[in-house]
Amino acid sequence: MRALLLAMAICGAAHAQYPAKPIRVIVPVAAGGNQEITIRAVAEEMAKSLGQPLLVEARPSASAIVGTQFVARSAPDGYTLLSVSTTFARAATLVSSAGYEPVRDFAAVSLVSRIPQVLVVNPGLPANNVAELIALAKSKELAYASAGLGSTGHIAAELFSRQAGIRMLHIPYKGNAQSMGDVLGGQVPLMFDQMSTSIAHIKAGKLRALGVTSRARSPLLPEVPTIAEQGLAGYEDVTWNGLMAPAGTPREVLERLRAAVATAVSGPELRQRFVERAIELQASRSLEEFAAFVRDEVAAFVRLAREANLGEK
């Protein structure tokens, strides 16, 4: 009994002085995108309240699987974290070799940001709003571009089509740059894209924005209505980023990390910097809130994938 009590005391002391060394944050996608840019900036601010640096390390792969598997197998001590996005909740359903289960193998820390998407069309398409696009899609087959199977643009379009009662032909590309290039060139008439990468083309008149996928209009495009207010009530599909730890990480450590995220994203200067990129920094109010959010995201996508027959063919 004395040995058990001693072990518990040592463990408690270790948690109390956490973190005692630098923390690694694995980003399982290529550098330069919104996910990597956001977590680097937030990690820099988190280090100020944690008293230790957060070392952001990119381990990119298809569907973010390699880096995610690495963190799932890491020690649950709070020194190896995973930057996650919407893909985290979807890849295990779409890819049979994902090798992880997002709810079972990870402990939730916090939401970090939300990024609305925007439905954009080539200006040559005769549709100026969502109603006109739906009517056009019912009269002839329309195609839409995406960055690939299971990408945010693919799923947003699938949700849109199902709610609108239409069918559109999916043209998946190997990345967002290729899909955007063909929409700009008119080879494919439309796509759902993160606002941060479309806004310059919209303002230049190279794309027409028909609706945003968030619940409220974007302050960067206040004249563009939400899709929900154009007849598809309840429609929402917002890309999100968050922070996870290996399952079994002590609650005290998780809470310390969550509090550091909350402090980091509350800074007005940082928030404004990201608002200008159409990214809303947002922390979860509790560990339970983010855990429930991830569970709901996974469950909702499992249902959608089953109903729409998404996944590896």
Side-chain angles (χ1 to χ4, degrees):
M1 176 62 102
R2 288 181 62 189
L4 177 60
L5 291 174
L6 179 60
M8 291 174 64
I10 293 172
C11 184
H15 296 165
Q17 63 183 11
Y18 172 85
K21 62 181 181 180
I23 300 166
R24 276 200 302 179
V25 181
I26 304 300
V27 182
V29 297
N34 284 329
Q35 182 177 346
E36 189 258 354
I37 291 170
T38 302
I39 196 60
R40 281 193 183 276
V42 172
E44 185 177 337
E45 293 299 315
M46 289 174 66
K48 296 175 183 179
S49 58
L50 290 172
Q52 289 287 349
L54 277 74
L55 309 177
V56 177
E57 178 183 331
R59 293 202 175 198
S61 67
S63 300
I65 289 171
V66 171
T68 302
Q69 290 177 343
F70 175 80
V71 177
R73 295 192 295 264
S74 297
D77 55 10
Y79 290 103
T80 305
L81 308 176
L82 179 68
S83 167
V84 299
S85 70
T86 313
T87 301
F88 171 77
R90 295 172 174 173
T93 298
L94 291 172
V95 183
S96 59
S97 60
Y100 74 91
E101 204 288 313
V103 174
R104 180 196 65 207
D105 297 333
F106 292 89
V109 176
S110 178
L111 190 68
V112 172
S113 67
R114 289 166 57 88
I115 309 168
Q117 295 188 78
V118 58
L119 168 56
V120 292
V121 301
N122 182 280
L125 190 73
N128 294 293
N129 53 51
V130 165
E132 290 181 3
L133 178 67
I134 293 172
L136 189 63
K138 288 181 177 179
S139 67
K140 67 176 186 177
E141 183 178 66
L142 289 181
Y144 70 92
S146 86
L149 178 67
S151 64
T152 54
H154 175 203
I155 304 308
E158 183 64 36
L159 290 169
F160 175 86
S161 297
R162 293 176 67 80
Q163 192 167 345
I166 60 175
R167 295 186 66 178
M168 296 191 292
L169 177 64
H170 178 211
I171 309 294
Y173 289 76
K174 294 181 179 179
N176 193 72
Q178 294 179 4
S179 57
M180 175 58 73
D182 272 8
V183 174
L184 287 168
Q187 287 84 2
V188 185
L190 65 103
M191 70 183 293
F192 283 78
D193 186 42
Q194 291 188 14
M195 190 178 296
S196 54
T197 52
S198 279
I199 194 164
H201 299 306
I202 294 168
K203 290 186 177 296
K206 296 178 180 179
L207 292 174
R208 181 186 303 129
L210 301 191
V212 295
T213 65
S214 50
R215 293 179 181 175
R217 294 192 184 197
S218 168
L220 296 183
L221 293 172
E223 72 284 0
V224 179
T226 68
I227 290 173
E229 69 182 274
Q230 297 184 74
L232 299 187
Y235 181 91
E236 181 185 27
D237 191 59
V238 176
T239 302
W240 54 269
N241 295 318
L243 203 58
M244 304 292 284
T249 301
R251 180 180 176 84
E252 297 88 346
V253 170
L254 296 172
E255 180 53 39
R256 183 84 198 277
L257 290 165
R258 188 207 63 79
V261 173
T263 299
V265 303
S266 66
E269 183 178 336
L270 187 67
R271 291 181 67 84
Q272 183 56 37
R273 202 165 92 208
F274 277 90
V275 163
E276 292 169 0
R277 295 179 60 92
I279 298 173
E280 177 193 2
L281 297 181
Q282 181 180 335
S284 302
R285 291 171 294 184
S286 68
L287 299 174
E288 290 78 13
E289 180 182 81
F290 189 47
F293 174 81
V294 172
R295 283 197 304 271
D296 290 346
E297 286 281 297
V298 172
F301 187 70
V302 167
R303 288 194 299 271
L304 174 64
R306 186 185 304 118
E307 294 170 359
N309 193 31
L310 301 177
E312 294 174 324
K313 300 295 191 286

